[in-house]
Amino acid sequence: MADISINARFLTQPMTGVQRYALELIKAFDVLIEMGEIKGCKFELLVPPCKPLHPLTLRNIPIRRVGFFCGYMWEQLELPFYARKGLLFCPGNIAPFVSLLYGQKMLVTVHDLSYLYFPEAYSLLFKLFYKTVVPLVLKNANAVITVSNSAKDSILNRYGYARDRLHVIPNGVFSKNNILDKKAKGGYPFVLYVGSLNKRKNLDGILNAAKLLNEKGKVRFVIVGACEKIFSSLKLDSSASYIDFKGQIDDVEDLIKLYRSASCFVFPSFYESFGFPPLEAMACGCPVVVSNAGSLPEICGDAAVYCDPFNANDIAEKIMLVITNETLQEELRQKGMAQAKKFSWERCARETFAVIEKVLNK
């Protein structure tokens, strides 16, 4: 029976799209094992000893705390020893240098190269580390997963040598069971944003669009997210009465209630390799306005209204177009829910396990 160790440092990190991907994928692996679809392998999550930030209960995959360090020190110095047998799966962009250089079988998910394509959004140390380790991953890992064709193209534009080991496997989204009975009614209608509060996500564009819209009438905006230390500082003016900053919300049910009660979701990001929040909004029946950048046209298809992320007037006009047109809202709801059904975590887990099997059989 093949041993598969999973780098579960993500359990100790603040929630972003990378951590959500890892959590949902591991839960889907657990379900597939329960269903008997994954056989002949023994999964194990290896976690650093620091305090976990995300609860995770699994029936078929053990979680083992190992080592003495936390963060990068644990990942680079201790994880290689505990994961030395079998295959190591790293779902969060990077992997241990030792494991990469000394031939251990490895699968790594590289979500994007945003630190290269939008460097002003990240700290100097973060960029230097990623510029060193990600090329090693793309050159030495047995296989690399990325989450969209747009992300694949951006990787190959810089690192063409990774072509033969690169696999596109889209992320999943909320299941129907998650969404049932979570609709929240009442209150003033609002425009919703969910995501990290960093420059790449174009919070300035949202705030400028909000200001423009509120010069003509009251349009409330709800902003959900946090600014992590890896990102460059972003100054936000929270004094405007029409802006409601909710901070980070990790509870899925609370997020679903916001998606279901919003009159429109806006996501004018400058760069995305996938973009969880627009797809989540679509799954919940919320009309979506997104930028025409990165993977968003690929992921959202014809189920969204597209805006120019560099033009606050255009962002504001597209939001107003949606919130004042009930026919368009209903069209976007129906198309959005249909588009979201194309993405599931079970499908993501099945396709990921197929790549694992290929690596094990090499």
Side-chain angles (χ1 to χ4, degrees):
M1 181 172 287
D3 292 315
I4 300 172
S5 298
I6 299 174
N7 177 357
R9 181 183 162 214
F10 62 86
L11 289 175
T12 66
Q13 297 173 306
M15 183 70 74
T16 69
V18 172
Q19 289 72 39
R20 188 175 296 282
Y21 160 85
L23 281 165
E24 297 297 339
L25 178 60
I26 300 311
K27 289 191 285 188
F29 278 146
D30 197 55
V31 170
L32 294 184
I33 295 171
E34 185 85 9
M35 295 167 60
E37 292 192 30
I38 291 180
K39 300 176 181 179
C41 294
K42 184 176 70 173
F43 285 83
E44 181 179 53
L45 265 66
L46 299 178
V47 188
C50 37
K51 182 180 179 180
L53 298 181
H54 315 296
L56 181 62
T57 302
L58 303 170
R59 294 171 61 91
N60 305 284
I61 302 176
I63 301 174
R64 183 160 65 106
R65 299 193 179 283
V66 298
F68 299 95
F69 296 117
C70 290
Y72 290 119
M73 292 283 285
W74 176 85
E75 190 169 50
Q76 295 299 323
L77 301 180
E78 295 186 304
L79 177 62
F81 173 79
Y82 291 102
R84 63 191 183 279
K85 296 180 180 178
L87 180 145
L88 175 59
F89 174 36
C90 296
N93 290 313
I94 57 176
F97 286 101
V98 171
S99 302
L100 287 166
L101 296 175
Y102 289 94
Q104 180 174 8
K105 287 189 174 182
M106 294 194 66
L107 170 64
V108 183
T109 301
V110 175
H111 295 262
D112 60 48
L113 301 181
S114 57
Y115 61 94
L116 290 178
Y117 288 97
F118 207 79
E120 56 267 40
Y122 296 89
S123 68
L124 178 60
L125 287 177
F126 182 89
K127 287 183 288 189
L128 289 174
F129 183 75
Y130 268 58
K131 285 179 180 180
T132 302
V133 71
V134 172
L136 283 176
V137 166
L138 294 170
K139 185 175 182 179
N140 294 298
N142 298 86
V144 176
I145 290 170
T146 196
V147 295
S148 66
N149 287 304
S150 174
K152 177 183 177 181
D153 291 342
S154 69
I155 290 171
L156 293 179
N157 184 50
R158 294 287 188 122
Y159 307 106
Y161 55 74
R163 184 177 302 276
D164 292 341
R165 57 176 60 87
L166 203 55
H167 304 263
V168 175
I169 301 178
N171 296 325
V173 71
F174 299 137
S175 70
K176 185 177 180 181
N177 289 336
N178 288 136
I179 298 167
L180 290 175
D181 301 323
K182 302 296 189 302
K183 189 169 180 64
K185 290 279 190 179
Y188 203 91
F190 59 89
V191 176
L192 176 66
Y193 167 81
V194 176
S196 298
L197 305 187
N198 69 74
K199 293 179 180 179
R200 176 168 65 92
K201 302 292 186 178
N202 194 16
L203 262 295
D204 284 340
I206 295 174
L207 298 179
N208 289 333
K211 183 177 180 181
L212 289 168
L213 289 171
N214 279 274
E215 289 173 354
K216 303 174 183 178
K218 188 170 179 61
V219 181
R220 181 182 168 211
F221 280 70
V222 173
I223 308 294
V224 175
C227 187
E228 305 303 337
K229 288 187 291 185
I230 64 168
F231 300 126
S232 311
S233 61
L234 181 70
K235 294 182 180 179
L236 297 175
D237 179 10
S238 59
S239 62
S241 61
Y242 51 83
I243 301 288
D244 183 5
F245 287 95
K246 295 288 189 182
Q248 182 74 15
I249 297 178
D250 292 332
D251 185 270
V252 171
E253 291 194 3
D254 288 342
L255 283 175
I256 289 172
K257 287 176 182 177
L258 283 170
Y259 285 130
R260 294 300 301 266
S261 56
S263 54
C264 174
F265 178 81
V266 62
F267 200 76
S269 178
F270 292 120
Y271 175 87
E272 290 294 327
S273 63
F274 187 82
F276 277 111
L279 198 60
E280 292 174 347
M282 288 180 179
C284 296
C286 181
V288 167
V289 174
V290 298
S291 70
N292 53 14
S295 68
L296 292 171
E298 175 188 345
I299 301 304
C300 298
D302 67 350
V305 170
Y306 292 93
C307 64
D308 178 358
F310 297 95
N311 186 334
N313 283 292
D314 190 53
I315 298 170
E317 287 173 8
K318 297 301 168 57
I319 292 172
M320 183 59 71
L321 173 66
V322 172
I323 65 177
T324 58
N325 189 327
E326 292 185 3
T327 300
L328 177 59
Q329 289 174 23
E330 185 58 28
E331 178 185 341
L332 291 173
R333 287 190 188 98
Q334 297 303 321
K335 287 184 175 181
M337 288 187 287
Q339 181 72 3
K341 288 178 181 178
K342 299 176 183 178
F343 301 86
S344 80
W345 287 114
E346 285 192 9
R347 172 190 167 186
C348 180
R350 287 189 183 98
E351 294 183 7
T352 301
F353 184 67
V355 176
I356 288 174
E357 288 187 304
K358 288 182 180 178
V359 173
L360 291 172
N361 293 330
K362 282 185 179 179

